[in-house]
């Protein structure tokens, strides 16, 4: 059975192209809805995440003590789900709060898929995700493999690269240097060491805007124009790639509907 701690987390995950301001605007509207409930004592709103994801938000919710509210934590969760239904595009997930786990508490239902074949893993995880969303005994079904980070991809043309004597790994190292810079030495003072990072100015670090002006060295250290040996594309990718036992894994999770038992859900899953 679900507890009645009076503490909840509501997490949001908007499309990958949302910046901090746009995410904050949506999160603030939801926060205002939460505060419109007399059972709520306080909330704490956080936008963004440690992995540079500006499209994510988290709202900690604390209800008033049980003695002075006429609703349980589980009942408030159901009430709040209905109130934020219009924000379904933001994928709001409501779960119990646990201070020992970053971002709250894990869901009671968890299914982990592991494979060394990324394509098959993503394919079957998506199929199961859609099926679980139709399961009436589960609420707030979520999947860890959301496409939530915009990527600018550079793909080497193998045949052309060989003609020019270009090594793909060397190109990767060079592009990483364009963006992150290099730490060629250390600064030492009073027994302490500090990395010295050399970087291009900010306007020159944008690979997308400067792609046609970038050059990379070949095996003879001759500079070759990157656009001659590579092509680009844009897309979205999972912000965090999770691995276990030398393979990738995708986790599906969900809360239980009122009156549903975890054993029943697992037996029919």
């Amino acid at each position: 059975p679900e507890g009645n701690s009076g503490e909840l987390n509501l997490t949001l995950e908007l499309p990958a192209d949302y910046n901090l301001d746009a995410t904050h605007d949506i999160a603030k509207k939801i926060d205002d809805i939460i505060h419109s409930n007399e059972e709520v004592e306080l909330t704490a709103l956080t936008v963004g995440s440690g992995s540079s994801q500006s499209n994510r938000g988290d709202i900690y919710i604390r209800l008033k003590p049980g003695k002075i509210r006429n609703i349980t934590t589980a009942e408030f969760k159901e009430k709040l789900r209905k109130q934020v239904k219009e924000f379904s595009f933001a994928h709001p997930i409501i779960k119990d709060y646990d201070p020992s786990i970053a971002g709250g508490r894990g869901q009671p239902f968890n299914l982990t898929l592991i494979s060394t074949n990324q394509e098959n893993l993503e394919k079957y995880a998506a199929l199961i995700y859609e099926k679980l969303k139709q399961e009436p005994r589960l609420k707030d079904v979520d999947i860890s493999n959301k496409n939530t980070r915009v990527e600018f991809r550079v793909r080497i043309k193998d045949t052309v690269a060989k003609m020019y004597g270009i090594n793909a790994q060397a190109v990767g190292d060079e592009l990483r240097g364009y963006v992150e810079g290099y730490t060629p030495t250390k600064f030492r003072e009073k027994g302490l060491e500090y990395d010295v990072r050399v970087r291009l100015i900010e306007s020159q670090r944008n690979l997308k805007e400067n792609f046609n002006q970038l050059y990379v060295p070949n095996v003879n250290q001759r500079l070759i124009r990157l656009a001659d040996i590579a092509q680009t594309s844009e897309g979205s990718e999972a912000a965090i790639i999770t691995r276990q036992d030398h393979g990738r894994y995708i986790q599906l999770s969900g809360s239980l509907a009122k009156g549903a038992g975890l054993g029943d859900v697992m037996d029919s899953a």
Side-chain angles (χ1 to χ4, degrees), residues 170-182:
V171 173
D173 292 340
E174 194 75 13
L175 295 183
R176 188 176 297 109
Y178 274 114
V179 176
E180 297 181 0
Y182 296 96

Side-chain angles (χ1 to χ4, degrees), residues 201-216:
I201 62 175
E202 188 171 354
S203 62
Q204 295 176 337
R205 298 179 210 152
N206 191 317
L207 296 183
K208 179 180 177 181
E209 292 183 0
N210 298 308
F211 181 75
N212 290 322
Q213 285 76 48
L214 297 179
Y215 288 79
V216 293

